[in-house]
């Protein structure tokens, strides 16, 4: 029986949500998923949200209704996987602590905007990052407020060049954790659709989404 995934997209256009959601949909279809891709958060208010094996938010800085949010949280807590990337998942509902508790972190800054930095794999034996190795990256270097209970798979170290007080700060970039019965996966990489052309970024996300969907 094939897996099913709901991808909802929208919010700030700078993250190219429609284009990114299309890339994710294509990625999941190649893996045999039945996918449903919908604009806006309204879909979260539908009954039966728990029927999906995976929910992927590709939405930044958007509002959400109380019923929609509680419906999403209930579905994830009951076992539907949650997975995503960059601001599309790490800054989706900025005003909603219940959502951030589920994700395991929240974006707060990207000093210097688009810069060169390095990704360091911290759990090289974990199947989600095994064989990938450390790599250089050119994008926003996300500074996040993170849940100390997450299982960190990759980090980046801030040089302090763009925010001197952050020098030496080691920041989680890729993580997984549990929320209720669900598996939750997050990668901070993927500012625009073109970043899917970076093989390490794409492969980490692919593995993470499959893991979250069990």
């Amino acid at each position: 029986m094939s897996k099913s995934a709901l991808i909802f997209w929208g919010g700030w256009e700078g993250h190219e949500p429609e284009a990114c959601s299309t890339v994710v949909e294509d990625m999941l279809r190649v893996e045999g998923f039945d996918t449903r891709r919908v604009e806006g958060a309204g879909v979260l208010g539908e009954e039966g949200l728990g029927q999906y094996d995976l929910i992927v938010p590709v939405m930044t800085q958007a509002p959400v209704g109380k019923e929609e949010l509680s419906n999403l949280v209930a579905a994830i807590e009951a076992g539907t996987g949650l997975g995503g990337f960059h601001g599309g998942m790490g800054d989706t509902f900025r005003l909603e602590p219940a959502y951030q508790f589920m994700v395991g972190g929240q974006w707060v800054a990207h000093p210097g905007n688009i810069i060169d930095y390095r990704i360091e794999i911290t759990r090289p034996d974990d199947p989600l990052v095994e064989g990938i190795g450390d790599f250089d990256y050119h994008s926003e270097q996300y500074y996040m407020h993170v849940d100390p209970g997450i299982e960190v798979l990759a980090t980046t170290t801030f040089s302090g060049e763009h925010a001197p007080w952050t020098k030496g700060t080691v920041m989680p970039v890729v993580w997984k954790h549990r929320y209720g019965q669900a598996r939750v996966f997050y990668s901070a990489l993927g500012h625009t659709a073109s970043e899917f052309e970076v093989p390490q970024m794409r492969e980490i996300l692919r593995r993470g989404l499959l893991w979250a969907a069990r």
Side-chain angles (χ1 to χ4, degrees):
M1 186 174 173
S2 63
K3 296 278 188 180
S4 62
L6 171 66
I7 304 160
F8 68 94
W9 64 273
W12 186 60
E13 287 293 337
H15 280 158
E16 301 178 357
E18 185 172 13
C20 286
S21 67
T22 301
V23 174
V24 170
E25 181 175 48
D26 291 345
M27 178 188 294
L28 291 174
R29 283 184 171 173
V30 167
E31 299 295 336
F33 279 72
D34 291 327
T35 60
R36 182 184 176 200
R37 192 172 61 87
V38 182
E39 182 177 6
V43 65
L44 303 178
E46 295 181 0
E47 288 186 16
L49 207 58
Q51 70 179 312
Y52 297 102
D53 297 293
L54 176 67
I55 295 177
V56 184
V58 189
M59 179 177 281
T60 306
Q61 299 176 36
V64 64
K66 284 188 176 181
E67 288 187 16
E68 285 86 353
L69 180 62
S70 62
N71 203 32
L72 173 64
V73 172
I76 304 304
E77 192 170 347
T80 291
L82 179 69
F85 60 98
H86 201 65
M89 178 163 154
D91 191 20
T92 301
F93 303 132
R94 189 178 289 182
L95 301 179
E96 306 296 344
Y99 173 80
Q100 296 160 19
F101 184 33
M102 196 163 59
V103 171
Q106 166 65 33
W107 170 86
V108 292
H110 41 68
N113 299 315
I114 305 292
I115 60 172
D116 293 310
Y117 61 98
R118 190 155 180 83
I119 308 298
E120 296 174 327
I121 304 299
T122 55
R123 296 288 297 273
D125 295 335
D126 190 286
L128 271 61
V129 291
E130 186 177 10
I132 289 176
D134 300 350
F135 59 98
D136 293 320
Y137 206 70
H138 181 72
S139 183
E140 292 174 337
Q141 187 181 29
Y142 262 19
Y143 200 99
M144 305 187 76
H145 287 172
V146 297
D147 181 342
I150 59 177
E151 186 174 346
V152 180
L153 303 179
T155 61
T156 185
T157 302
F158 280 75
S159 69
E161 179 183 353
H162 306 286
W165 59 93
T166 65
K167 184 176 182 178
T169 299
V170 178
M171 182 61 55
V173 173
V174 179
W175 69 71
K176 61 181 179 177
H177 77 122
R178 302 290 179 131
Y179 185 86
Q181 300 300 310
R183 292 178 171 186
V184 177
F185 169 82
Y186 177 74
S187 167
L189 308 178
H191 178 60
T192 56
S194 64
E195 290 187 26
F196 282 87
E197 296 170 13
V198 179
Q200 297 96 327
M201 175 273 180
R202 186 183 183 98
E203 180 62 12
I204 289 171
L205 182 63
R206 185 190 72 83
R207 293 183 193 180
L209 294 180
L210 293 180
W211 174 84
R214 301 181 190 273

